[in-house]
Amino acid sequence: MLLGVVLAVHLSMNGNVGAVLNNARVGNALFWCIGALGAVLIGLTGWHSTALEPLKDVHPVLLTAGLLGACLVFAIAWLIPQVGAGAVMITLIAGQVLGGLMMSHFGWLGSPVQPISLTKLAGVAVMIAGVALATYGK
């Protein structure tokens, strides 16, 4: 749960930078440049001479995750000043739960297969109702 709080703060900070700059695209680019520097520093703490040897075994499509992340963070950073952090975060969580259930059901990207059950579908229905209440409720 702490990571969820950190994610909400982190994405809201990025959205605020884009709003202050009056340019969410430039704010997102700045975010990723600073993030890349941090990622390199973190990577160097575990570096050894053979660290990249298994890279040849990584499917090239998996390497597009960085681009996917940049697009995702840009969209979130753009949306937060438009509709608010609460609405963005709660719908983001709902999407994550739905995506996670599908990934587990089909075993996509190495996820252990966990079939969707009626209980899980009921939980999703309650979650979607909660998203609607939390986002549109007065």
Side-chain angles (χ1 to χ4, degrees), residues 64-76:
T64 64
L67 177 60
L68 186 62
C71 293
L72 171 70
V73 170
F74 165 70
I76 294 167

Side-chain angles (χ1 to χ4, degrees), residues 32-55:
W32 283 98
C33 288
I34 294 168
L37 178 61
V40 167
L41 293 173
I42 291 168
L44 288 174
T45 65
W47 186 259
H48 52 83
S49 62
T50 60
L52 293 177
E53 279 185 19
L55 186 60

Side-chain angles (χ1 to χ4, degrees), residues 50-63 109:
T50 60
L52 293 177
E53 279 185 19
L55 186 60
K56 66 185 180 322
D57 299 324
V58 175
H59 193 286
V61 170
L62 296 177
L63 298 176
L109 296 172

